[in-house]
Amino acid sequence: MTSSTCQPAVTSPATASSAQDLAFPVAHPRPARGWLNDPNGLCRVNGTWHVFFQFNPHSARHEHIHWGHLSSPDLVEWTEEPVALTPGPQGPDVAGCWSGVMGFDDGAPIAVYSGVQGIENASEVTLARGSADLREWSQERHVAAPMPEDEQVVAVRDPFLVTIDGRRWALQGAGLADGRAAILLYDAEELTDWTYHGVWLSSDRAPAALDADIWECPQLVWLEDSAVWVLVVSRWHRTDDGGHELDDTRALLLEVDLPDQPQDLPRPRILGESEVDTGSSFYAPQVLAEPDRALMIGWAREQREQQACDEAGWSGLLTWPRELQIRDGALVSSPAAECEGWRLGPAHHDDGAAVLLPDACDVVLPTTPEGTVPTVELRAAGDTDAEAGPPVYSGPASRIVIDHSIIEIFRADGPACTLRAYPAADQQWELRTGGARLSWWVLRRWSPA
């Protein structure tokens, strides 16, 4: 594949309130203030889309994690709903309601999440029952699966539910005492009481690109068009100073061998691996399998100092929903078709030699009949060339979505690239494509309902 580079721009971050903040998006809905990370509980119920997310409404820091909630009839018109889940005064989620998914028990929605009691790597699978419209929640804090009584398992989090051959299973991301990352398998036919079946897959069986101390946020989805299972994991590493760092998100292409007997377990066989997103800001996506497609939403991490986030009062964005496909062994994503609803007015057409773009736009670039994708350079430019920063992105692109500080770059022949960049007030986005003619639309502003 053609290589590309993604890096944050070296420009000054905005520090004003969200209404005036140059970094705050107009077409990537989120609360006006607070910390946001992993998308959770992605689902569609009675024609309405719901995305929950890790949320601290009180500051721009990863503390006291709740579940925030957005809903939409069409993936464009979003409503900011009341906070769904709140850490309890005691019990399994006293330190936070961390990542998970939406389950359904006889049609009733149930949030399935990691309840954490401290900053260590222990968690318990905790349940909360929702109303039919997912707007009211009863947090009885029932534990469906405690930490496994397994000496080799030292870290567990991020439950995921998947149906394989008509039977419901659950996965959790894990770290093992010998340094391997792993996926744990549970029988979750009884949603309120899971049965642990041990390590399902570990990093020593995977290509070296999947190396990690913990595999976080596992997502297992069947892609019908390619007849392959895709396991998406985000790579977490310990650091020498006792801390940790979040790496990237990658995918394993799998066959899942079905059991001969009902009591036997499905077994994974690795067919290949793929990048999910080449940008430095993409992490912890959630994937939803629909009858005709698989949708993915990721967390776009900040690339500015914590002090700037504190002053701005917010941190973290969700990507646009993306449809997944396998092409030539690679996981390729593109904006969901509904996202064209963000476009405002008629298309603009420009020669791509050096096009100045607005701070919120959707750009489409031509692909040759042979399938060649244009190579572009995107930078924050000032009034003179001397005031232009280094390229924020240099590489192939079929479509570029720019929304203030988030940039999502898509290509028809490879993985997407998500990055964060912070142009100054006197800078404007400049796109160079070597002369290819491009089309672009201004993005309309989201107003929370």
Side-chain angles (χ1 to χ4, degrees):
M1 286 182 192
T2 305
S3 62
S4 60
T5 58
C6 281
Q7 60 186 43
V10 287
T11 49
S12 300
T15 58
S17 68
S18 61
Q20 302 169 325
D21 190 346
L22 296 177
F24 201 82
V26 300
H28 285 74
R30 60 146 292 146
R33 299 183 65 82
W35 167 277
L36 177 153
N37 63 299
D38 309 5
N40 298 144
L42 180 60
C43 61
R44 191 181 191 187
V45 177
N46 296 326
T48 298
W49 296 93
H50 298 267
V51 58
F52 301 82
F53 47 89
Q54 301 289 276
F55 181 46
N56 177 5
H58 306 301
S59 81
R61 293 177 177 254
H62 184 260
E63 303 166 337
H64 312 297
I65 295 299
H66 301 53
W67 271 30
H69 181 193
L70 293 165
S71 69
S72 173
D74 57 6
L75 297 178
V76 175
E77 299 289 345
W78 290 91
T79 297
E80 184 180 341
E81 303 285 357
V83 168
L85 304 182
T86 303
Q90 57 186 3
D93 59 7
V94 66
C97 305
W98 285 18
S99 290
V101 295
M102 195 60 60
F104 293 89
D105 199 354
D106 295 328
I110 298 179
V112 180
Y113 64 98
S114 293
V116 295
Q117 298 181 355
I119 60 172
E120 66 277 0
N121 288 311
S123 72
E124 296 182 301
V125 177
T126 310
L127 307 183
R129 292 188 176 271
S131 59
D133 62 4
L134 284 77
R135 291 181 171 92
E136 297 179 8
W137 294 88
S138 175
Q139 287 188 253
E140 299 174 357
R141 298 181 168 84
H142 174 82
V143 174
M147 279 289 292
E149 295 181 0
D150 186 336
E151 291 183 356
Q152 69 175 328
V153 177
V154 296
V156 174
R157 48 179 161 271
D158 311 330
F160 182 81
L161 298 173
V162 60
T163 298
I164 302 174
D165 196 32
R167 185 176 176 185
R168 183 167 61 194
W169 301 90
L171 310 177
Q172 284 207 90
L176 305 182
D178 59 9
R180 291 177 295 156
I183 301 296
L184 308 183
L185 178 68
Y186 299 77
D187 184 332
E189 275 292 279
E190 177 56 57
L191 192 58
T192 59
D193 186 17
W194 297 7
T195 301
Y196 176 60
H197 286 294
V199 173
W200 192 60
L201 188 64
S202 55
S203 56
D204 59 312
R205 292 179 51 195
L210 275 290
D211 181 61
D213 291 300
I214 300 174
W215 279 342
E216 294 196 296
C217 300
Q219 311 284 302
L220 182 64
V221 63
W222 171 255
L223 295 189
E224 183 70 38
D225 289 347
S226 304
V228 67
W229 288 93
V230 177
L231 175 66
V232 175
V233 296
S234 293
R235 301 194 300 145
W236 185 100
H237 291 277
R238 293 184 179 87
T239 55
D240 293 339
D241 61 3
H244 70 274
E245 62 182 10
L246 308 182
D247 198 334
D248 60 4
T249 300
R250 304 189 76 91
L252 288 171
L253 311 184
L254 304 176
E255 279 188 357
V256 176
D257 295 330
L258 300 177
D260 294 326
Q261 302 296 328
Q263 68 271 20
D264 293 336
L265 307 178
R267 299 292 184 186
R269 288 195 299 119
I270 296 174
L271 304 177
E273 62 93 13
S274 175
E275 293 176 296
V276 174
D277 189 293
T278 63
S280 58
S281 292
F282 187 88
Y283 197 78
Q286 183 138 114
V287 181
L288 175 65
E290 289 204 280
D292 58 346
R293 61 179 177 176
L295 283 184
M296 177 176 69
I297 296 177
W299 167 36
R301 298 178 282 171
E302 297 296 331
Q303 297 286 294
R304 55 182 176 176
E305 296 296 328
Q306 181 62 53
Q307 181 180 351
C309 295
D310 291 340
E311 292 172 352
W314 65 277
S315 176
L317 297 173
L318 300 177
T319 68
W320 274 7
R322 303 174 179 183
E323 298 183 13
L324 301 181
Q325 292 181 310
I326 301 294
R327 293 181 188 160
D328 297 326
L331 186 66
V332 176
S333 60
S334 58
E338 292 92 334
C339 291
E340 292 187 8
W342 285 108
R343 295 172 177 174
L344 182 64
H348 302 261
H349 304 285
D350 276 296
D351 184 318
V355 177
L356 293 178
L357 295 168
D359 52 17
C361 59
D362 185 359
V363 183
V364 175
L365 298 114
T367 301
T368 69
E370 295 76 28
T372 303
V373 176
T375 296
V376 305
E377 257 192 17
L378 180 68
R379 70 180 70 239
D383 292 335
T384 68
D385 287 344
E387 295 173 356
V392 176
Y393 176 81
S394 177
S398 304
R399 185 170 174 182
I400 302 174
V401 176
I402 299 172
D403 188 3
H404 292 256
S405 65
I406 181 171
I407 303 169
E408 299 186 68
I409 299 161
F410 303 92
R411 44 186 289 197
D413 60 348
C417 175
T418 303
L419 57 92
R420 304 294 305 279
Y422 308 90
D426 59 351
Q427 291 181 314
Q428 190 172 359
W429 290 113
E430 179 186 88
L431 182 66
R432 300 187 179 191
T433 68
R437 188 166 176 78
L438 55 86
S439 302
W440 59 270
W441 293 258
V442 172
L443 297 180
R444 62 191 183 92
R445 180 179 293 275
W446 171 68
S447 297

